[in-house]
Amino acid sequence: MTGTRIAALGHYQPAKVLTNHDLAELVDTDDAWITSRVGIRTRHIGGPDEPVDELAAHAAGKALATAGLTPDDIDLVLVATSTAIDRSPNTAARVAARLGMTSPATMDLNVVCAGFTHALATADHAVRAGGSRRALVIGADKMSAVADWTDRTTCVLVGDGAGAAIVEAVDEETPGAARGIGPVLWGSVPEMGHAVRIEGTPPRFAQEGQSVYRWATQQLPALARQTCERSGITPEDLAGVVLHQANLRIIEPLAAKIGAVNAIVARDVVDSGNTSAASIPLALAKLVERGELASGAPVLLFGFGGNLSYAGQVVRVP
């Protein structure tokens, strides 16, 4: 039986840091207002010469280096993003070109904030089915490019960045197979898709914050627990919980309701803001890099947001 595992992780953020005090010079806000409502203190912002595919390629390069692989060891590139530069070529193809790959399959997935967990599940399915041997899965967004910098309710949220994971096949009967990717639980609330939007010309990010807050804190805890059940694990056994880094005031009550009382809860939103599809792999890679999660530890990943889509799985960290 063919299983899958995450072989390595990588992350990247632009050098420029935008603080709450910097934002107070742009819109009618201040540090106290921002931290009390969303818990964010800083965010990284890419410059005009840093397109989203460059952020993605940097994160991918780190993951490849960590795994000791070359670009030609990858046969599938999946990029989750909602801030692609063009409709074609897609971001995945641009990343493959930047990395010097020769003939990988390349696809973008636009599921906004739940994009990485959807892409991870897609890679997991492709490898298990034999369609790929080793996949590069990236969540990357340049949310600053779609922010309305006159709207203090949304511009204070956004940040830029990318996170990457290498997914590879593993024989489920061999040691190490437990470091795998559990079954996905995914879905959406189509009739409420308007609650989070990136639309218009030029495209701009907007949301109905209270609707998203109520949905996330009331409906998602049960779904997150179901995700654990599908992997045969209880919330109490989780070593980590990495939710979409939307807002600290959503993350903390949601994590508490899941019941993962022994888990480290990622709070990268405080330093990075909402990086949309990048937020989960970015936060996970940092926890692993800092040694806060041991190799093989079970971690719940749960993405949610745009389209009011959600997707989650329990993974074992590399």
Side-chain angles (χ1 to χ4, degrees), residues 84-166:
I85 299 170
D86 299 308
R87 296 190 180 188
S88 181
N90 62 26
T91 308
R94 291 181 183 273
V95 170
R98 284 184 179 273
L99 295 175
M101 295 179 174
T102 53
S103 58
T106 58
M107 287 181 278
D108 283 7
L109 289 84
N110 180 0
V111 201
V112 202
C113 308
F116 178 79
T117 43
H118 277 78
L120 186 64
T122 301
D124 171 51
H125 298 164
V127 172
R128 288 179 182 273
S132 171
R133 181 173 55 89
R134 189 176 286 117
L136 177 60
V137 184
I138 307 169
D141 267 310
K142 189 175 181 181
M143 292 299 292
S144 65
V146 297
D148 180 350
W149 292 102
T150 67
D151 178 7
R152 74 169 185 168
T153 66
T154 56
C155 75
V156 301
L157 299 172
V158 301
D160 303 336
I166 294 173

Side-chain angles (χ1 to χ4, degrees), residues 148-289:
D148 180 350
W149 292 102
T150 67
D151 178 7
R152 74 169 185 168
T153 66
T154 56
C155 75
V156 301
L157 299 172
V158 301
D160 303 336
I166 294 173
V167 174
E168 64 181 13
V170 60
D171 187 335
E172 291 186 332
E173 301 302 319
T174 61
R179 299 181 185 178
I181 300 170
V184 68
L185 183 146
W186 51 11
S188 66
V189 188
E191 66 272 20
M192 290 181 64
H194 56 82
V196 182
R197 308 179 300 281
I198 300 176
E199 60 186 9
T201 306
R204 288 291 177 258
F205 164 55
Q207 68 173 0
E208 298 169 14
Q210 288 301 312
S211 296
V212 175
Y213 176 84
R214 286 192 298 270
W215 170 71
T217 56
Q218 295 175 12
Q219 303 301 318
L220 298 187
L223 296 172
R225 290 192 293 270
Q226 288 177 38
T227 303
C228 293
E229 290 173 10
R230 290 193 175 193
S231 287
I233 194 169
T234 66
E236 293 82 3
D237 292 329
L238 291 169
V241 172
V242 183
L243 308 172
H244 166 50
Q245 302 293 290
N247 178 332
L248 197 60
R249 304 304 172 236
I250 291 177
I251 293 168
E252 290 181 333
L254 178 51
K257 289 180 180 180
I258 291 171
V261 293
N262 300 309
I264 294 170
V265 177
R267 293 178 172 84
D268 187 54
V269 67
V270 174
D271 302 313
S272 300
N274 182 342
T275 56
S276 191
S279 76
I280 286 178
L282 190 62
L284 178 63
K286 288 182 180 181
L287 288 174
V288 172
E289 185 177 72

